Amino acid sequence: MATIALPERFSPKDYRFWLSRCLHILKNSDLELDGTVFADFSSESRAFFAAVAGAAEKFGRHVRLAHFSPEMKAEIAQIRKIDIPKAEAGASMGPLERLGDAGFRLLDTLKTLLFLLSESLYWTFLGRFDKKRLPFGGVGQQLLRLGSEASGIVFLLVFLIGFTLSLQSASQLNTFGAGEYLSVGVGFLMFAELGPMLTAIILAGRSGSSITAEIASMNVAEEIKALRTMGIHPIQYLIVPRFKAMTIAVPLLSFVASMIGCFAGFLVAFWFCEVSPTNYWVGLRENLPLLLLFKSVVKSMVFGWIVTLIACHQGFKARGGADAVGKATTVCVVYSIAGIILADALFSFVFY
Amino acid sequence: MTPLLKVEHLKAGYGGRVILKDVSFEVAPSEIRVILGGSGCGKSTLLNNILQLEKPLGGNISFFGTSYPATTPIPDDVRKRTGVLFQGGALLTSLTVAENVALPLKRHKPYLPKKIMDEIIADRLEKVHMMHAFNKYPSELSGGMKKRAALARALALDPELLFCDEPSAGLDPITARSLDELLLTLRDDLKISVVIVTHELDSIKTICDKFVFLKQGEVLLDGTLQQGLESNIPEIRTFFDRKCPDEFGNVNCLNFEFVD
């Protein structure tokens, strides 16, 4: 048995020192604590004794307290042994199990998204003939919030990207003396790819995240439950107006953004390739088929749906508190951008 | 008299965990029924499952004399005749108080002209002394005011059955008292039945007609306030006497040997 004489009271930095000394001894032998001068009635000192007792039990040792004052003894006798629960370890899954689990969750998400898509399409296009249609509007407000307010940033970014890309191509084209073809290149690039895709990605970050955050915090604050108790269907009240607004806003924004991209291309062509405005315009008009514009509109509409539905779905899925809102928003942006790029790849096959 | 609400053998839970094992009780017309029980015994789950905000696992629920298997959705007509007051109020933060109260009216009585709707809203807000918040947003209100505004919304359609999840929690004693009196008035004047989840002993003693006491997902006692006050069941005794359970029962001292 080894003896440690305790000080009169523990100073703040002492706890680690005394506890590690006690533990060190308990590992090898029984322990005697000498409390002749000890008179520390703080809750920290009580916790110290509890920790020592716990360690003694763990190592199967015996602790003897010698020469403690009667007051201190009474104090220590009052300390109760409390088991501290360990954090539950989650059921561990093997790699295959985890893969299967992720697969099933993905299937589940896709199923829900398809259900939301069919509901939204129904209430958007056929709902006016349905008796169960709810008398709530709100599309105009959503158009403003999700569409108009995003237009500045969309146009600015598409202009800058259009300008940069044109500039890069211009230096290549100029070496072959083919500067006048810039108009066709930029036009195709803008309407077929960059316009719809950039618009949708910017909207995913701006409007999609705001949809998720709003619906998720409504969910967390029981507002969606309240809607349901009033007989107001959350899909009709919350998703459909946003779906309608995005169906209108995204193609419009993407069309105008593509034009702005073309305008950026024109500036480059005019300044760096000496193409006249007329030539640029004619080049655009004669080489861009009407079908391309149509495809561009369809594409951006689908991108808008992807953003809206993923955003709404993530919002409805959020459970818990503030961290759930943050998580849902992150997942929404990541999934929508991935969805947009995936859909774009599919479209390029279909529209090849 | 047929009961307005009849819950039979309701079983509920989530994710494989059963929270309510077998709960049955009835609510008669113009009766205030209090749901009691310790924290985590499934009171809110019971409310959520009666209202089908969560899917029950089994059982049968009758509203207004018509029985529905607990797993089928509640029809609009029942929603129209019930009002719900949530714990935090659950007002839609994007709408003003008046617009919030208008929601159920717009949903179930869209044919009403706006002037009439406004009159109804004003009347409900007057009833809960919230006229001053007519055009305010929920974020501008205190917790108690939100709750009163939410009560106005729950009353918008003159429900026959009102559910309240801890209506007086977090209110100052005077507001809580006036809320109790309001509920009593509603019961006496409009013959509304009320189902309340609450912990406030004062409020229970004022308003309770009958209560169900839940323990671990089962009904421990279903009876009148008088029966509760006279009951000898230990859990109910400690609840009504406001006694702390004897937690120092088995003291587990540290294993020290004292020597001098």
Side-chain angles (χ1 to χ4, degrees):
Chain A
M1 177 169 302
T3 307
I4 295 178
L6 292 175
E8 187 184 349
R9 55 184 63 245
F10 293 123
S11 72
K13 285 181 188 156
D14 273 358
Y15 293 102
R16 188 179 298 273
F17 168 73
W18 290 108
L19 187 63
S20 65
R21 270 185 79 186
C22 293
L23 294 190
H24 189 74
I25 291 169
L26 281 171
K27 256 180 221 161
N28 305 311
S29 70
D30 288 348
L31 173 69
E32 184 182 73
L33 291 173
D34 184 299
T36 322
V37 291
F38 187 75
D40 188 339
F41 292 91
S42 66
S43 67
E44 287 94 334
S45 97
R46 294 167 65 129
F48 171 81
F49 286 107
V52 170
E57 190 177 336
K58 186 175 143 205
F59 295 122
R61 305 282 178 196
H62 189 73
V63 181
R64 187 198 289 169
L65 304 184
H67 316 304
F68 276 75
S69 66
E71 296 86 4
M72 206 63 233
K73 267 192 224 162
E75 178 83 5
I76 293 171
Q78 271 179 18
I79 308 174
R80 277 173 304 136
K81 197 176 90 185
I82 304 164
D83 288 327
I84 299 169
K86 289 227 165 58
E88 266 177 54
S92 64
M93 288 196 282
L96 263 180
E97 256 180 308
R98 233 175 299 164
L99 187 71
D101 194 56
F104 275 115
R105 259 183 297 154
L106 185 68
L107 270 182
D108 219 42
T109 307
L110 284 178
K111 216 170 76 184
T112 322
L113 285 177
L114 274 180
F115 167 72
L116 289 180
L117 177 67
S118 68
E119 283 279 299
S120 307
L121 284 175
Y122 176 79
W123 290 110
T124 302
F125 294 108
L126 301 170
R128 62 188 68 251
F129 307 113
D130 194 316
K131 278 209 188 83
K132 277 191 283 184
R133 193 169 94 106
L134 298 181
F136 295 107
V139 181
Q141 197 195 0
Q142 296 301 336
L143 257 177
L144 267 180
R145 283 183 45 194
L146 304 177
S148 313
E149 286 175 15
S151 57
I153 185 75
V154 170
F155 296 160
L156 179 72
L157 291 185
V158 174
F159 176 84
L160 288 177
I161 291 176
F163 196 87
T164 320
L165 280 178
S166 311
L167 209 55
Q168 298 283 359
S169 335
S171 69
Q172 300 296 315
L173 288 172
N174 273 343
T175 52
F176 300 110
E180 70 227 56
Y181 290 110
L182 191 63
S183 62
V184 198
V186 171
F188 256 99
L189 196 63
M190 276 300 153
F191 280 100
E193 278 298 327
L194 285 186
M197 187 140 115
L198 283 176
T199 309
I201 287 180
I202 295 166
L203 285 183
R206 195 206 158 277
S207 306
S209 59
S210 96
I211 294 177
T212 312
E214 190 180 354
I215 295 185
S217 39
M218 288 181 78
N219 208 351
V220 169
E222 293 192 311
E223 288 175 37
I224 290 179
K225 276 188 188 170
L227 281 177
R228 284 170 59 196
T229 60
M230 287 184 264
I232 298 173
H233 205 289
I235 291 184
Q236 268 194 70
Y237 185 75
L238 292 173
I239 298 188
V240 172
R242 287 167 175 79
F243 188 84
K244 283 181 181 166
M246 290 289 266
T247 309
I248 300 167
V250 183
L252 271 178
L253 278 178
S254 115
F255 190 81
V256 178
S258 307
M259 305 250 280
I260 287 175
C262 289
F263 175 69
F266 159 69
L267 291 181
V268 172
F270 186 65
W271 285 333
F272 295 91
C273 308
E274 277 123 26
V275 178
S276 75
T278 334
N279 278 356
Y280 190 85
W281 173 241
V282 170
L284 266 184
R285 213 180 54 184
E286 293 191 344
N287 290 300
L288 292 188
L290 200 59
L291 191 63
L292 180 75
L293 304 189
F294 174 71
K295 283 175 187 170
S296 164
V297 167
V298 171
K299 208 166 156 175
S300 50
M301 200 183 283
V302 172
F303 289 170
W305 291 348
I306 291 175
V307 172
T308 321
L309 293 179
I310 290 180
C312 291
H313 176 234
Q314 289 303 327
F316 277 111
K317 247 176 63 174
R319 290 276 177 285
D323 64 327
V325 179
K327 221 181 269 172
T329 314
T330 313
V331 173
C332 154
V333 174
V334 172
Y335 279 18
S336 347
I337 291 177
I340 289 164
I341 292 174
L342 201 74
D344 192 55
L346 287 179
F347 266 121
S348 53
F349 274 114
V350 176
F351 285 164
Y352 182 71
Chain B
M1 250 191 310
T2 52
L4 285 192
L5 172 72
K6 193 171 169 189
V7 177
E8 293 167 290
H9 308 298
L10 184 70
K11 191 178 166 196
Y14 355 56
R17 209 173 111 229
V18 177
I19 294 172
L20 299 177
K21 286 170 202 144
D22 181 2
V23 175
S24 310
F25 67 96
E26 288 179 7
V27 179
S30 61
E31 171 183 282
I32 297 185
R33 168 69 88 155
V34 181
I35 300 174
L36 298 175
S39 295
C41 72
K43 298 188 298 290
S44 296
T45 308
L46 175 61
L47 217 54
N48 281 340
N49 277 283
I50 293 173
L51 294 165
Q52 293 249 333
L53 299 172
E54 279 156 30
K55 264 211 151 73
L57 300 174
N60 218 26
I61 299 173
S62 315
F63 285 101
F64 312 113
T66 320
S67 162
Y68 305 96
T71 39
T72 55
I74 294 181
D76 269 358
D77 181 50
V78 172
R79 295 273 191 221
K80 192 175 162 183
R81 293 163 71 183
T82 55
V84 184
L85 169 60
F86 283 89
Q87 203 169 357
L91 295 170
L92 266 64
T93 41
S94 54
L95 304 178
T96 63
V97 167
E99 285 166 335
N100 262 294
V101 181
L103 269 180
L105 290 168
K106 280 190 188 156
R107 165 65 178 88
H108 292 286
K109 295 179 178 171
Y111 46 82
L112 289 178
K114 191 173 180 315
K115 284 242 159 65
I116 294 184
M117 249 185 224
D118 281 348
E119 288 299 327
I120 299 176
I121 296 164
D123 173 69
R124 297 300 183 276
L125 285 176
E126 186 65 56
K127 224 177 230 159
V128 296
H129 314 297
M130 285 293 291
M131 254 330 263
H132 58 92
F134 196 88
N135 285 316
K136 282 192 179 155
Y137 283 90
S139 54
E140 301 170 73
L141 305 180
S142 73
M145 287 154 119
K146 273 184 207 165
K147 229 169 239 185
R148 281 188 281 153
L151 182 62
R153 182 176 70 181
L155 295 174
L157 289 165
D158 295 322
E160 295 158 55
L161 187 56
L162 181 66
F163 293 90
C164 303
D165 192 358
E166 307 207 8
S168 42
L171 295 187
D172 63 272
I174 299 167
T175 320
R177 189 67 213 237
S178 69
L179 201 73
D180 289 344
E181 259 149 40
L182 182 69
L183 289 175
L184 285 174
T185 328
L186 291 172
R187 196 266 312 264
D188 295 338
D189 296 356
L190 303 172
K191 308 285 173 229
I192 294 181
S193 298
V194 191
V195 179
I196 301 184
V197 172
T198 187
H199 295 293
E200 307 282 318
L201 205 51
D202 292 336
S203 144
I204 294 165
K205 283 181 177 158
T206 327
I207 60 176
C208 175
D209 292 327
K210 289 179 90 179
F211 70 91
V212 265
F213 197 102
L214 297 185
K215 194 201 166 191
Q216 291 174 350
E218 276 169 349
V219 177
L220 192 64
L221 183 67
D222 175 347
T224 60
L225 179 64
Q226 202 53 40
Q227 282 173 311
L229 291 172
E230 289 162 5
S231 156
N232 283 325
I233 304 175
E235 281 88 355
I236 294 173
R237 257 306 20 96
T238 48
F239 182 85
F240 279 108
D241 295 349
R242 245 195 254 206
K243 217 171 64 188
C244 276
D246 198 7
E247 59 174 327
F248 302 110
N250 50 2
V251 180
N252 226 342
C253 289
L254 299 183
N255 191 16
F256 288 134
E257 177 200 354
F258 289 97
V259 290
D260 283 324

